[in-house]
Amino acid sequence: MTVPAVVDLDHLEPGLRAWVESLATSGPVLLRRDGQTIGTITYSSAVLEGTIVPAPATKHSDLREGTKVLATTMRLSSPARDLLRQSFGLDWVILDFHDAPDTADVVLTCAHSPQLTHRWTLLFPHAQIIVTEILDPEFDLDMPGPVGRLLDAGAHAYLPPKPLEQVAKNVQLYLAGRAHGALGSSPPATHQLDS
């Protein structure tokens, strides 16, 4: 694979820089030598351009008072979404994020990049963003994240970030089998999170 040459516009003299930048709007440029065309220079933008078109508003005026909306960002089959809906109960409506209103209460997502996670905060400004990992062979769902991969690699527990004194306390509680908020693969703790 040929690596393209790089021209840093900041290092060109102003006249040449203006000419190179004009290639973006002028279309292809033919290169000639001795009256013969020897090549073409074309411009291809590395910046995504376009217009953001908002999705059609989803109407949920038929929701019961007190009903909460949970938007999922992962692909779920209809049976998987139905089970999730049943598991949350009647006070919840479970929707794919494409169909959810921007007033959703919760966004359930797998571990992604910080940029994608931030996107959920922009699309759903009032929602709590909850990151989860899912392993459900019945629905052919295997959505691990960094914590699950570390546990699969041999780590015994994951303790959430805390100040140093609390870290020491949490490690001691975990080792004593009374950890709260610890995720583990095969630790001795008896009070584990189920997720």
Side-chain angles (χ1 to χ4, degrees):
M1 182 168 86
T2 305
V3 177
V6 176
V7 175
D8 189 335
L9 296 176
D10 294 329
H11 292 99
L12 296 179
E13 67 92 22
L16 183 56
R17 177 180 176 167
W19 179 80
V20 171
E21 287 178 336
S22 73
L23 294 177
T25 57
S26 66
V29 175
L30 296 178
L31 296 178
R32 293 182 179 239
R33 183 185 313 137
D34 298 326
Q36 299 290 328
T37 300
I38 59 170
T40 305
I41 297 176
T42 58
Y43 172 81
S44 175
S45 177
V47 177
L48 181 63
E49 296 178 6
T51 304
I52 297 175
V53 178
T58 306
K59 296 188 176 166
H60 296 286
S61 55
D62 57 339
L63 293 180
R64 239 183 29 237
E65 182 70 30
T67 300
K68 296 191 180 300
V69 175
L70 181 139
T72 60
T73 68
M74 61 284 291
R75 285 189 182 164
L76 297 175
S77 65
S78 292
R81 190 172 304 284
D82 289 342
L83 179 60
L84 192 60
R85 187 176 291 116
Q86 292 169 13
S87 301
F88 268 92
L90 297 176
D91 291 336
W92 288 86
V93 172
I94 312 301
L95 298 169
D96 183 272
F97 80 95
H98 290 101
D99 301 322
D102 63 0
T103 56
D105 300 284
V106 174
V107 173
L108 189 64
T109 186
C110 292
H112 296 291
S113 68
Q115 295 83 0
L116 186 53
T117 301
H118 181 66
R119 177 180 183 224
W120 307 133
T121 68
L122 298 175
L123 291 175
F124 303 99
H126 307 292
Q128 293 187 55
I129 311 300
I130 299 178
V131 179
T132 187
E133 299 180 20
I134 300 174
L135 177 60
D136 194 327
E138 181 181 343
F139 293 100
D140 197 27
L141 293 172
D142 186 4
M143 300 174 186
V147 173
R149 288 191 291 269
L150 292 171
L151 293 171
D152 288 344
H156 289 91
Y158 172 80
L159 302 174
K162 297 288 181 189
L164 284 174
E165 286 182 19
Q166 188 64 46
V167 168
K169 183 178 179 182
N170 283 352
V171 169
Q172 290 169 337
L173 286 171
Y174 168 77
L175 293 174
R178 298 189 316 263
H180 295 285
L183 297 176
S185 54
S186 55
T190 55
H191 299 290
Q192 298 287 315
L193 292 177
D194 292 331
S195 50

